[in-house]
Amino acid sequence: MVDQIRGEPVGVELTRVAKSYGAVPAVRGVSLAIEPGEIVSLLGPSGCGKTTTLRIVAGLERPDAGEIRIGRALVNTLPPWKRNIGMVFQSYALFPHMTVAENVAFGLRMRGVAGATMDQEVAAALAQVRLGGFGERRPSELSGGQRQRVALARAIVTRPSVLLLDEPLAALDRQLRESMQIEIREIQRAVGITAIFVTHDQEEALTLSDRVVVMEDGRIVQSGTPAEIYERPRTRFVSDFVGFSNVLDGRVAEGGRELGTVTLTAGRLVPVSLAPDIAPGDEVDVVVRPEKVWVAAAHEAVPTAGHAFPGTITHSVYMGALTYHHVAVEGVGRVVAMVPNVEPATSGTLAVGSAVLVGWRPESALAFRRNDPGARAAS
Amino acid sequence: MTASPPRPGERLLAGYVGLVLLFLALPVLIVIPLAFSTDASLIFPPRGFSLKWFANILERPEFASAFRVSATVAVVATSISLVVGTLAALAFVRYRFPGRDTLLLVFMTPLIFPAIVLAAALALVLSPLGLLRSIAGLVCAHVVLTLPYMLRTAIATLSEIDRSLEEAAQTLGANRWRTFRHVTLPLLRPGLLAGITFSLIISFDEFTVSMFLVGPGLMTLPLEMYNYSEFTLDPTLAAISTILLGLTTIAIVVIEKLVGLGRQFS
Ligand SMILES: Nc1ncnc2c1ncn2[C@@H]1O[C@H](COP(=O)(O)OP(=O)(O)OP(=O)(O)O)[C@@H](O)[C@H]1O
Ligand SMILES: [Mg+2]
């Protein structure tokens, strides 16, 4: 058994874990240390090995190589029922022949908890997911969001050492998903549990996690706080995966330090931030997120010192809270800038056709080598 | 999502019940009135009401004894088929092993083989084992005959059970046995009940194979009825049929009720 003081979170550590299904490698050498009480999300495209990694931690899949530790214990050969984990499946996997209360009570019964204690804990867990009074229903009589919450209650009622969630929100509509994200986060904090959360939704990963682990092709490509992953993606793949960017191609003019310049194919010299292994002369893609690009009417003062490029707004997409302006910039190309609608968008200072200046801070423009193998998933 | 589609076990059972009813309906209309007839000859419609043919059954101990043999064989063979069939279904559905398809085919052959070939084969195998003219021999043969039905319904139901339900149970602390006991088995129940019904009726009704294995002092009910009809063709047979009909109906109604309860699980 994984030794654990009830309510005391434990860490999880994977060391060079690998798993193939026949000839298909699903996970190839994943090393990952998760701190006690941390909520980590595994983010990546379909088929990158997220579920497999989670199932290996759960004990539902046995790795071909590597070590898995929960707490201090090596659990490689420990079956799932001895790992003291809680798992929420993508399909929820609620037992159809049991009521909601019986579903939640299942883990307690397996641990020999019965009678009034069991009833109390079940009621408390259902209250925690705001499903008090639903105990006598069948899973088939619940909505998707309610089923999801039952699955969550069932997974946490036993106070597991680790909570594993496999895209639990994928089937829910946007609004419900967002409120469930907050709920999961709050419950995870309240229970003080270590959690691993699988998702292919970058927004979900950023909002929900202490740390985001981006996977590609069975490997971890980057692991860091949501801000690190978003602001300082290490590869083009990570950059593309965690949000839309402008991509401008060019050649490094000046580099060697962290900041440098790139001569764009379109002609202009722009300031950029360079990955460490990039040298002058390298072909690069310069990646700039829309919210990092400022736009100002041509007659206005330039917001920050540095480069400002003249351009013309070709069209604008109004999104309520913000507007995306597509700007044709001479010697650069088309640049999309995201502008929060601080003033009413109807005020018209940034109308289609108007001459504007655009620019960005050098550290916001990341240059990645063009033939970076990670670049193939370009958006 | 209150109205989820019925599980295959239930669909099988529903279809089966429908077929059985249709099959039974026509002869029933004739057999039941005949059983209460006053005439010794089979005249339809009967000209009076009497219970003497039922009394006649009781007067002839060979019917009671044959009924006991048939019931014992049906229950024992079905129980063995149930256990073997369920375990085999688990192996077939849950694991991929060399020779799996061939083995499955072997299990299913009694469905396709001509009954007479099977009868001769079983007699030839059971004779040197000293199992001819014994309950044990009949049970062996009936296991072979009923197993395909049991296996088929169990496999159909089992392959519809979401694997992640069992995995969820395991992550919640249930070992293999408790997972089977608390999750797989309850979900398998409708399918197994359908299999049990099939099996009981197949066994009770069996004629060709049993004929090779019975002898003086050991008769199954269908064979006893056949023997009787060779000498006397009176409504006694109709009376027996009426009783069997009643029992079958009760069995089906009871199982429908049980599976009907199960229906709200899905
Ligand atoms: N049971 C299995 N048998 C064979 N191959 C499998 C099996 N499960 C997963 N794979 C393969 O292993 C790879 C990783 O699968 P995995 O389910 O871990 O991906 P994932 O990141 O969870 O993807 P998704 O976002 O689509 O759920 C895929 O190529 C997949 O086809
Ligand atoms: Mg997956």
Side-chain angles (χ1 to χ4, degrees):
Chain A
M1 279 275 185
V2 171
D3 73 334
Q4 177 243 10
I5 309 146
R6 221 160 136 83
E8 200 71 30
V10 302
V12 176
E13 196 176 344
L14 304 186
T15 316
R16 290 186 297 278
V17 169
K19 167 83 190 170
S20 298
Y21 294 104
V24 185
V27 172
R28 350 176 170 204
V30 162
S31 296
L32 177 64
I34 297 163
E35 300 297 320
E38 205 181 12
I39 178 165
V40 166
S41 56
L42 301 181
L43 176 68
S46 188
C48 72
K50 309 180 293 290
T51 298
T52 307
T53 307
L54 202 69
R55 289 172 60 83
I56 288 173
V57 175
L60 295 170
E61 220 72 71
R62 193 164 285 195
D64 304 331
E67 291 181 353
I68 308 118
R69 281 168 208 281
I70 298 179
R72 287 175 309 279
L74 185 70
V75 298
N76 277 42
T77 55
L78 209 59
W81 55 89
K82 290 186 180 166
R83 291 194 183 194
N84 194 29
I85 46 169
M87 184 153 175
V88 178
F89 292 75
Q90 181 164 357
S91 58
Y92 310 145
L94 298 178
F95 304 128
H97 58 296
M98 298 182 196
T99 62
V100 166
E102 286 166 348
N103 264 279
V104 176
F106 190 86
L108 295 172
R109 271 168 62 207
M110 294 303 120
R111 284 164 174 76
V113 181
T117 323
M118 181 184 86
D119 294 342
Q120 250 164 15
E121 299 208 13
V122 168
L126 283 176
Q128 199 155 26
V129 296
R130 297 190 285 111
L131 281 178
F134 283 76
E136 291 316 306
R137 293 221 199 163
R138 296 268 169 197
S140 57
E141 297 162 351
L142 299 178
S143 74
Q146 289 168 337
R147 286 179 206 191
Q148 198 277 329
R149 283 184 276 165
V150 175
L152 190 60
R154 185 178 69 174
I156 59 171
V157 73
T158 56
R159 321 254 171 90
S161 318
V162 185
L163 183 61
L164 306 169
L165 305 108
D166 192 356
E167 308 206 23
L169 307 179
L172 307 182
D173 67 44
R174 189 189 166 88
Q175 230 170 354
L176 193 54
R177 193 162 64 226
E178 282 171 4
S179 74
M180 286 307 305
Q181 284 170 3
I182 296 168
E183 223 165 297
I184 288 181
R185 183 81 234 219
E186 277 174 358
I187 289 171
Q188 183 263 337
R189 285 226 181 90
V191 185
I193 204 171
T194 310
I196 308 177
F197 189 98
V198 163
T199 180
H200 59 242
D201 178 343
Q202 50 101 4
E203 223 172 289
E204 192 166 282
L206 297 179
T207 24
L208 207 67
S209 343
D210 294 321
R211 200 143 54 94
V212 179
V213 172
V214 184
M215 291 185 68
E216 181 192 9
D217 249 346
R219 291 193 186 87
I220 293 177
V221 282
Q222 189 172 358
S223 151
T225 63
E228 279 167 5
I229 296 287
Y230 188 79
E231 308 278 349
R232 314 297 312 165
R234 203 173 292 151
T235 68
R236 177 69 196 284
F237 171 83
V238 176
S239 166
D240 285 335
F241 202 78
V242 294
F244 171 80
S245 291
N246 293 292
V247 180
L248 311 165
D249 55 316
R251 184 186 295 274
V252 177
E254 192 192 329
R257 304 181 312 279
E258 206 175 306
L259 294 182
T261 51
V262 165
T263 307
L264 298 180
T265 313
R268 226 173 241 288
L269 190 72
V270 297
V272 297
S273 168
L274 296 170
D277 57 335
I278 294 181
D282 285 349
E283 298 265 342
V284 290
D285 281 331
V286 177
V287 167
V288 195
R289 296 208 186 279
E291 74 277 10
K292 307 290 187 196
V293 179
W294 55 258
V295 191
H299 57 271
E300 279 178 11
V302 172
T304 48
H307 301 251
F309 313 117
T312 312
I313 296 182
T314 55
H315 80 273
S316 299
V317 181
Y318 176 70
M319 306 272 292
L322 40 93
T323 301
Y324 286 96
H325 293 292
H326 294 233
V327 185
V329 182
E330 272 168 59
V332 173
R334 197 191 63 172
V335 174
V336 179
M338 189 191 97
V339 178
N341 291 323
V342 179
E343 284 158 38
T346 47
S347 66
T349 49
L350 293 174
V352 171
S354 52
V356 291
L357 289 174
V358 299
W360 54 80
R361 298 167 67 98
E363 58 271 32
S364 302
L366 309 176
F368 297 109
R369 187 174 284 118
R370 177 83 48 77
N371 51 13
D372 182 330
R376 63 189 167 74
S379 50
Chain B
M1 276 280 289
T2 25
S4 45
R7 274 171 284 157
E10 292 169 35
R11 245 180 287 140
L12 268 172
L13 183 62
Y16 176 69
V17 168
L19 268 179
V20 167
L21 290 181
L22 185 78
F23 214 86
L24 293 181
L26 292 172
V28 160
L29 294 176
I30 297 169
V31 159
I32 296 178
L34 276 182
F36 297 96
S37 163
T38 43
D39 288 290
S41 51
L42 300 172
I43 295 168
F44 193 84
R47 280 179 295 198
F49 178 86
S50 91
L51 289 174
K52 63 181 173 191
W53 307 115
F54 289 92
N56 188 34
I57 300 172
L58 297 177
E59 276 158 25
R60 293 175 149 274
E62 67 264 33
F63 282 128
S65 133
F67 180 86
R68 267 197 305 278
V69 169
S70 280
T72 310
V73 169
V75 169
V76 176
T78 297
S79 308
I80 295 173
S81 279
L82 177 64
V83 175
V84 175
T86 307
L87 294 178
L90 280 169
F92 283 123
V93 176
R94 291 290 183 247
Y95 302 98
R96 295 286 169 273
F97 48 88
R100 176 179 171 275
D101 295 345
T102 320
L103 197 60
L104 188 57
L105 201 67
V106 168
F107 269 109
M108 291 299 177
T109 40
L111 284 181
I112 339 159
F113 262 41
I116 192 72
V117 175
L118 211 61
L122 279 164
L124 289 173
V125 171
L126 292 173
S127 165
L129 296 174
L131 291 174
L132 234 42
R133 291 183 245 311
S134 75
I135 293 259
L138 275 175
V139 167
C140 283
H142 283 213
V143 167
V144 171
L145 292 168
T146 54
L147 195 55
Y149 295 90
M150 198 64 89
L151 195 57
R152 197 177 247 193
T153 49
I155 285 178
T157 320
L158 199 58
S159 30
E160 286 291 299
I161 297 178
D162 185 357
R163 208 62 234 271
S164 66
L165 292 176
E166 294 169 280
E167 291 178 342
Q170 294 193 351
T171 65
L172 289 166
N175 60 24
R176 278 185 227 288
W177 162 245
R178 294 176 110 185
T179 298
F180 179 74
R181 165 81 188 74
H182 295 289
V183 176
T184 319
L185 193 57
L187 294 172
L188 207 50
R189 209 181 58 172
L192 295 185
L193 280 173
I196 290 170
T197 320
F198 269 122
S199 174
L200 284 175
I201 292 174
I202 295 281
S203 166
F204 204 89
D205 197 41
E206 213 293 316
F207 194 88
T208 316
V209 172
S210 302
M211 188 136 82
F212 283 72
L213 304 176
V214 295
L218 185 75
M219 273 294 154
T220 64
L221 192 57
L223 288 166
E224 195 62 66
M225 287 167 77
Y226 174 73
N227 288 346
Y228 182 85
S229 74
E230 279 196 308
F231 302 103
T232 354
L233 207 59
D234 65 19
T236 308
L237 293 180
I240 297 175
S241 305
T242 303
I243 293 172
L244 293 182
L245 220 52
L247 290 177
T248 313
T249 310
I250 290 168
I252 288 175
V253 167
V254 166
I255 283 164
E256 229 323 276
K257 275 266 152 49
L258 287 172
V259 179
L261 284 177
R263 194 160 283 152
Q264 71 193 58
F265 295 166
S266 53

